[in-house]
Amino acid sequence: MTTDTAVAVHQIARPTGFPTAAAFTLARGPVPSPSPGTALVENLLLSVDPYHRGLMDGGEGGFELNAPLEGRAVGRVIASRDPGLAEGDLVFHRAGWRTHALVTLGVDGTRTLRGHEGVPLEAYLSILGGTGLTAYAALTRTAALREGEDLFVSAAAGGVGTATGHIARLLGARRIVGSAGSPAKVRRLTEVLGFDAAFDHHDGPIGEQLTKAAPDGIDVYVDNVGGDHLEGAIGALREYGRIAWVGAISMYNGDRSPAAPRDLFEVVHKSLRLEGVLVHNHTNLQEELEDFLVPHLRSGRVSTDTTVVQGIDRMVDAFLGMLRGDNLGKMLVRLGD
C-alpha cells in the first residue's frame, strides 16, 4: 500500500440534518516525514462511529472545517523518531480518516497493540476497541450487570450492540433482548448472535414490543438510541433497574429535544439509576477487557462482528451507511490489501 501520496477526508461544510457527501472532500498531499518524538504510521483500518456526527456540528471539541477528520485507527509504523515506536509496530491511535498519520506514543491514546495470536486485526477496532470497551464499561461499571439479570439493548445489531450481547452472555445474563432496524437484523440477533428475543423498531411502539419480548421486565438497559427506546425501557425496568446511556442515534440528525421519554418520573417511582457512559473515562479497563475476551475470541465463542468497506475513497460512504444502519456489527474501512 505504501505510496508517496497521503489522502485525508476533510469536512468542508456543516451538515443540516442528515449529512450528505457534499459536506466532505478528499485532500491529497505528500506523505509527511516524522519530526523528533513522532512516528509515521500507514493506516490499515479506520473506524466510523455515531459520535462523529455530533462533532461535525462544530463548537467546542468539534471538527474544524478544511482539516483532516479524526477517528480511531490501526496502522503500522513505517518511519519513526519516537524512541518508543519502531518500524513495523502495529499501533492504535486516533488520527484516522486518512491514509497516513504522525503519532506519538502515549499521546491521544496512541499505544502499541498487544498482538494476540489468533485474533484478527478487525477486533482491535470492534470488540477489543472503543465499541467493545464501551459495552464492557457499561455492563461491568455503569450498570453493574449481575448473573441472572435480564438485559435490553437498543441498536443491538450495531457495533456497541453486538459487543454488549456477547459480553452480557459471558457475564451470565439470563435473558437478552435487542431492538434493530430490519427483519434481517432481527434474525441475525436471534439466530446467529444468541439473543433470546429481538424486534424491529419499525413494527410498533417500543414499549409494547419490549413488553412482548420481556414480559417479566428487565433489570438493565444499554441505550444506544434514546427517545422512544429510552421511554419504553423505563416502562419495562423493574425496581432498582439501571440504565447505561451510551448514545442517542435517534437524535443525532434532527431534533435534539424529542418528546420522549415522557415517563421520566418512573425513575423516581421505581428507584431507577440512569448514568451516561463515555468511553474515554474507562480507558484504564483496556487490558482487563482484552484479558476477558481474547480467550473467547480464540475459541470462537465470541465473534468479531464487522462490516468492512474497502478504500479511503469510500470513507464517507461508510460513515453515511453506518448512520443509515446499513452495517451489521462495527463499520470499518480497510486501506490497502
Side-chain angles (χ1 to χ4, degrees):
M1 171 182 146
T2 302
T3 175
D4 294 332
T5 301
V7 183
V9 180
H10 286 205
Q11 183 183 346
I12 57 175
R14 300 294 180 199
T16 301
F18 196 94
T20 67
F24 307 92
T25 191
L26 291 178
R28 290 175 167 81
V31 173
S33 298
S35 57
T38 70
L40 175 63
V41 170
E42 188 173 52
N43 285 329
L44 304 174
L45 282 172
L46 307 175
S47 174
V48 293
D49 295 280
Y51 77 86
H52 288 139
R53 173 60 187 87
L55 298 180
M56 289 173 183
D57 289 336
E60 184 176 357
F63 290 142
E64 296 181 7
L65 295 181
N66 303 301
L69 302 187
E70 295 183 1
R72 301 180 184 115
V74 167
R76 188 181 304 278
V77 175
I78 58 174
S80 181
R81 300 182 70 184
D82 180 335
L85 294 173
E87 282 190 38
D89 283 350
L90 287 172
V91 297
F92 169 91
H93 62 90
R94 300 190 64 86
W97 291 67
R98 66 197 85 178
T99 58
H100 298 78
L102 293 174
V103 303
T104 298
L105 187 65
V107 175
D108 295 331
T110 299
R111 57 182 172 83
T112 56
L113 297 185
R114 293 172 70 184
H116 303 287
E117 185 177 353
V119 174
L121 199 61
E122 288 82 0
Y124 296 96
L125 286 181
S126 56
I127 197 161
L128 296 183
T131 50
L133 187 59
T134 298
Y136 187 75
L139 290 171
T140 65
R141 297 320 196 259
T142 307
L145 178 75
R146 296 185 287 270
E147 186 174 356
E149 290 190 319
D150 298 322
L151 168 76
F152 171 48
V153 54
S154 54
V160 173
T162 54
T164 299
H166 285 307
I167 294 169
R169 185 64 73 199
L170 295 173
L171 293 171
R174 185 180 67 166
R175 185 169 179 79
I176 303 175
V177 176
S179 69
S182 73
K185 289 183 176 182
V186 168
R187 288 193 299 271
R188 181 172 177 80
L189 289 175
T190 57
E191 296 174 8
V192 178
L193 297 178
F195 280 65
D196 297 287
F199 59 86
D200 185 337
H201 66 79
H202 298 106
D203 286 348
I206 301 302
E208 293 180 9
Q209 295 201 79
L210 183 54
T211 297
K212 292 178 182 178
D216 297 326
I218 58 174
D219 301 291
V220 170
Y221 172 44
V222 175
D223 189 7
N224 295 295
V225 176
D228 58 351
H229 280 72
L230 179 55
E231 180 177 281
I234 289 172
L237 279 160
R238 303 182 182 115
E239 192 174 25
Y240 302 111
R242 288 91 69 202
I243 301 166
W245 197 350
V246 172
I249 199 167
S250 67
M251 301 159 56
Y252 290 160
N253 297 302
D255 186 4
R256 300 296 173 91
S257 302
R262 293 159 293 192
D263 56 353
L264 274 177
F265 190 71
E266 289 298 295
V267 173
V268 177
H269 185 248
K270 296 182 180 180
S271 299
L272 306 179
R273 181 163 61 83
L274 186 157
E275 184 177 338
V277 183
L278 288 175
V279 68
H280 69 245
N281 293 330
H282 299 282
T283 54
N284 62 304
L285 301 178
Q286 182 65 43
E287 288 195 12
E288 180 180 320
L289 169 73
E290 295 183 26
D291 291 342
F292 177 71
L293 283 177
V294 164
H296 301 294
L297 284 165
R298 286 175 173 158
S299 71
R301 184 178 181 186
V302 171
S303 58
T304 300
D305 303 292
T306 58
T307 297
V308 181
V309 171
Q310 184 73 37
I312 189 70
D313 58 327
R314 296 191 63 201
M315 189 82 188
V316 173
D317 293 339
F319 171 66
L320 299 179
M322 179 271 302
L323 290 181
R324 288 191 299 265
D326 294 346
N327 54 302
L328 291 170
K330 181 76 184 71
M331 180 73 90
L332 299 174
V333 176
R334 179 183 289 120
L335 307 185
D337 298 329

